[in-house]
Amino acid sequence: MPDILSPDCVGLVTPQTHHFSTPLALDCGRTLAEYDIVYETYGKLNENHSNAILICHALSGDHHAAGYYSMQDKKPGWWDTCIGPGKPIDTNRFFVVSLNNLGGCKGSTGPNSINPETNKPYGPDFPIITARDWVKSQARLGDVLGISQWAAVLGGSLGGMQALQWAIDYPKHLRHCIAIAAAPKLTAQNIAFNEVARQAIMNDPDFHAGHYYQYNVIPRQGLMLARMLGHITYLSDVAMRQKFGRELREGKIHFGFDVEFQVESYLRYQGRSFVDRFDANTYLLMTKALDYFDPAHECGDNLAAALTKVLAKFLIVSFTSDWRFSPARSREIVKALLDNKKEVSYAEIKAHEGHDAFLMPIPHYIRVFQAYMQQINIPGEK
Amino acid sequence: MPDILSPDCVGLVTPQTHHFSTPLALDCGRTLAEYDIVYETYGKLNENHSNAILICHALSGDHHAAGYYSMQDKKPGWWDTCIGPGKPIDTNRFFVVSLNNLGGCKGSTGPNSINPETNKPYGPDFPIITARDWVKSQARLGDVLGISQWAAVLGGSLGGMQALQWAIDYPKHLRHCIAIAAAPKLTAQNIAFNEVARQAIMNDPDFHAGHYYQYNVIPRQGLMLARMLGHITYLSDVAMRQKFGRELREGKIHFGFDVEFQVESYLRYQGRSFVDRFDANTYLLMTKALDYFDPAHECGDNLAAALTKVLAKFLIVSFTSDWRFSPARSREIVKALLDNKKEVSYAEIKAHEGHDAFLMPIPHYIRVFQAYMQQINIPGEK
């Protein structure tokens, strides 16, 4: 809860909703007849609409990327570290758009929205969404806002994957693509973790095959397990050791199955608090979008071939202790871009925070990010 | 199912059970008044009882380490690769003892055994068991078999931890200690994975606070999840990639939550088949024994101090792609032994199989293991 708003904060923000009534054809073969997209903007769109930045969110993210909704808020948006006056995504220069993706649970149409055909929540009938579908829906939001070319599209983790997809699908519609802690596709191990998370949710007796809304319950235990497991993959072994070591919560072993080690207490807390703010069907959809992301697949598993037509300049950032999407995964992207003689900057940041590093104020990371953003040319800028 | 028994196989074996009626005081403060230990032996005990080898099993292991129970068996014991005539643990030279640990579910007294005080299964009332308790119970089994000093005590993973505990608690009672793919204690990340597995089991509505036997159900989904998660940590990322890549089970994406990728199919199969052969309460106990293992703790977190009194010679083996108990964890043990000027051989085996490598016929591993075992002196050997 901020007592006063710091001068590098975007301040109090209000989300907006746009209703789209043009049907959206999806990768899965189905069509969404109409849908809402909720979004926030920070900064001002310049006269020739050349300073717009699109933020794509990760698995459990949403449109609230920066600022506060009220002075009573305990926390700012999820990427407040990087968005604001004088921050890497400098709202003195850029007009920033951050949306909740389709299939989400924070206001954009998703499984917990009312299906106009049935007047009941979509639940499991909500179509599977891919990164490509998201990019298409984001392009439509750009149209609504009068943005025909983004100065940059960017994101971390699954957000970085969307940025890559943008560069591939709409090469002329972005000048810069920034993918942080991302990967060109998931490994079998990544998919395996997602599958365990999904099984945890789908096996919860309160899941009711995804129709839990009508039973007035949520698959609490399953979603909690999924989040606990996710958290392990977001942190590095070293970060966990530094944060918790093998500290005992009450100073001594008590030989039982209650919480004993600090790390258990932390994970259970993370799991429990997530359940109250996230929808299980959305979690399932997001993990599937991750599993399916694989732009090289259509090009004979040749990532360079998938990137031949991109026009954007790239910044790729990875973190040394990220074992979910390790630096090697980012280097695959860099190599494929270089194979095409594309312009790419790459930074491998020494950090012990693991995958979550992309959300943290790590000085080297912030400096690199800021330097890259500062050199982005804004046509018409005074 | 063997058509004929290979000459390097120990052949058909029969487990034996010993009933102990001397109470066993446990680390947790409780006492087991009486208990059974089931075990198998391979090879022959020599005249002066100097050729005995004790095998300690890992989390989901048991006493059936080698050979077959019948010619109809589909698989031999879990470490048949390493135990038999001419194999590293050469039954032409050694008398091998392999037991099911206390708290197990394969014949030794554990949560699914009848508690003589209540005439019902122990269930959650079975006491928490530590590696030290196991070692104590194994020493008693040695007494029964007339073995006052083991030529070697050895094991992989949690089995290697028991071997270390033997060297610390009974220094005069073993000449060699062999710990493969082990660690001196769990990291916060290791504990975190165990905690998610436990939560999966304990949150299963069929768990009934551990009393599921009397409801004639088992916490099937929870135990399945725990095993799926375990499997991810047993395999390396590379091994998963080589085994499954991102292969689709039916050749194409079908946009749904059924099994799509081969790795999902594999994990679900592993989870399901485990449920039918393992007890959930035992799984909980085993993960706790892992969490608690930390011989340095009593010595101010100084592992070297914990190892000052060991007399055994050591072989420590690790595998490069093991990220559950990485080579760095084995090197901690090696360093602590060297700090004490103890005799230790260390082999870091290049292998892509991950933690599971210790069960596999990797040529370099087998050669190192065999060479070490061959130089073990057996007093009285002709």
Side-chain angles (χ1 to χ4, degrees), chain A residues 195 198 260 264 268 292, chain B residues 195 260 264 268 292:
Chain A
E195 170 65 4
R198 282 191 293 266
E260 289 197 301
E264 296 172 311
R268 289 195 200 183
Y292 289 148
Chain B
E195 170 64 3
E260 288 197 302
E264 296 172 312
R268 289 194 200 181
Y292 289 149

Side-chain angles (χ1 to χ4, degrees), chain A residues 120-250:
Chain A
K120 285 181 188 167
Y122 280 99
D125 300 328
F126 196 85
I128 297 261
I129 304 279
T130 65
R132 197 148 54 180
D133 296 328
W134 281 332
V135 166
K136 204 191 271 187
S137 68
Q138 290 158 5
R140 287 193 178 180
L141 179 64
D143 293 343
V144 167
L145 299 172
I147 297 155
S148 58
Q149 187 187 60
W150 300 93
V153 176
L154 53 82
S157 191
L158 176 55
M161 293 166 167
Q162 293 162 58
L164 280 181
Q165 193 74 53
W166 259 97
I168 293 168
D169 291 353
Y170 296 94
K172 292 180 186 161
H173 296 257
L174 68 166
R175 300 199 298 282
H176 294 268
C177 172
I178 301 173
I180 305 171
K185 65 181 172 196
L186 263 58
T187 61
Q189 188 187 72
N190 294 145
I191 295 173
F193 277 121
N194 280 346
E195 170 65 4
V196 175
R198 282 191 293 266
Q199 289 290 311
I201 292 169
M202 298 196 300
N203 287 338
D204 187 315
D206 283 337
F207 183 62
H208 295 288
H211 294 288
Y212 47 90
Y213 315 104
Q214 63 197 74
Y215 295 86
N216 229 352
V217 293
I218 51 174
R220 183 171 289 277
Q221 304 295 358
L223 187 55
M224 187 179 123
L225 280 172
R227 181 62 168 182
M228 288 171 74
L229 180 53
H231 250 282
I232 301 178
T233 70
Y234 304 152
L235 295 180
S236 69
D237 191 19
V238 174
M240 275 208 172
R241 184 158 32 221
Q242 292 188 347
K243 219 165 170 170
F244 311 108
R246 292 175 49 95
E247 295 304 310
L248 291 161
R249 194 147 160 265
E250 290 165 16

Side-chain angles (χ1 to χ4, degrees), chain B residues 48-352:
Chain B
N48 54 5
H49 295 196
S50 63
N51 70 334
I53 300 274
L54 177 68
I55 310 282
C56 304
H57 70 71
L59 198 151
S60 61
D62 56 33
H63 52 287
H64 187 38
Y68 296 85
Y69 287 150
S70 85
M71 294 301 279
Q72 278 68 54
D73 279 3
K74 285 186 183 159
K75 280 193 207 164
W78 58 268
W79 219 9
D80 199 76
T81 309
C82 292
I83 304 169
K87 290 179 183 172
I89 303 167
D90 187 349
T91 48
N92 289 331
R93 290 185 75 213
F94 295 112
F95 173 68
V96 181
V97 178
S98 174
L99 80 161
N100 184 212
N101 273 332
L102 268 183
C105 53
K106 298 299 175 75
S108 291
T109 299
N112 66 358
S113 308
I114 297 298
N115 180 348
E117 286 178 23
T118 63
N119 277 320
K120 286 181 186 166
Y122 280 98
D125 301 326
F126 196 85
I128 298 261
I129 303 280
T130 65
R132 196 150 52 181
D133 295 329
W134 281 332
V135 166
K136 205 192 269 188
S137 68
Q138 290 158 4
R140 286 192 180 180
L141 179 64
D143 293 342
V144 167
L145 299 171
I147 297 155
S148 58
Q149 188 187 59
W150 301 92
V153 175
L154 54 82
S157 192
L158 177 55
M161 292 166 165
Q162 293 162 59
L164 279 182
Q165 193 73 55
W166 258 97
I168 293 169
D169 291 353
Y170 296 93
K172 292 181 184 159
H173 295 257
L174 69 166
R175 300 199 297 281
H176 295 269
C177 171
I178 302 173
I180 305 171
K185 65 183 173 194
L186 264 59
T187 61
Q189 189 187 72
N190 293 145
I191 294 174
F193 277 120
N194 281 346
E195 170 64 3
V196 175
R198 282 191 294 264
Q199 288 289 312
I201 292 169
M202 297 195 301
N203 288 338
D204 187 315
D206 283 337
F207 183 62
H208 295 288
H211 294 288
Y212 48 88
Y213 315 103
Q214 63 197 74
Y215 294 85
N216 229 352
V217 293
I218 51 175
R220 183 171 290 275
Q221 304 294 359
L223 186 56
M224 189 179 120
L225 281 172
R227 181 61 168 182
M228 288 171 74
L229 180 54
H231 250 282
I232 300 178
T233 70
Y234 304 152
L235 295 180
S236 70
D237 191 18
V238 174
M240 275 207 171
R241 183 157 35 219
Q242 292 188 348
K243 218 165 170 168
F244 310 108
R246 292 172 50 92
E247 294 304 310
L248 290 161
R249 193 148 160 265
E250 289 165 17
K252 64 178 174 66
I253 281 178
H254 51 63
F255 292 105
F257 293 102
D258 289 340
V259 160
E260 288 197 302
F261 295 97
Q262 290 290 8
V263 64
E264 296 172 312
S265 166
Y266 169 81
L267 280 182
R268 289 194 200 181
Y269 171 80
Q270 290 294 338
R272 273 195 304 266
S273 67
F274 187 65
V275 167
D276 296 323
R277 63 183 172 87
F278 211 81
D279 179 66
N281 281 318
T282 288
Y283 201 89
L284 294 176
L285 283 180
M286 296 284 158
T287 63
K288 271 293 181 186
L290 273 166
D291 288 3
Y292 289 149
F293 179 74
D294 184 7
H297 184 64
E298 295 175 0
C299 301
D301 288 324
N302 181 339
L303 185 61
L307 293 169
T308 46
K309 288 181 186 157
V310 305
L311 296 171
K313 296 175 182 177
F314 285 78
L315 171 64
I316 308 292
V317 179
S318 71
F319 301 92
T320 50
S321 62
D322 182 354
W323 63 281
R324 184 176 171 90
F325 299 144
S326 73
R329 313 306 313 285
S330 279
R331 288 195 299 263
E332 289 174 43
I333 302 169
V334 173
K335 185 179 180 305
L337 288 166
L338 290 176
D339 286 348
N340 283 303
K341 301 196 193 318
K342 304 294 178 187
E343 209 169 301
V344 53
S345 301
Y346 173 58
E348 196 164 306
I349 308 290
K350 220 178 232 180
H352 68 259

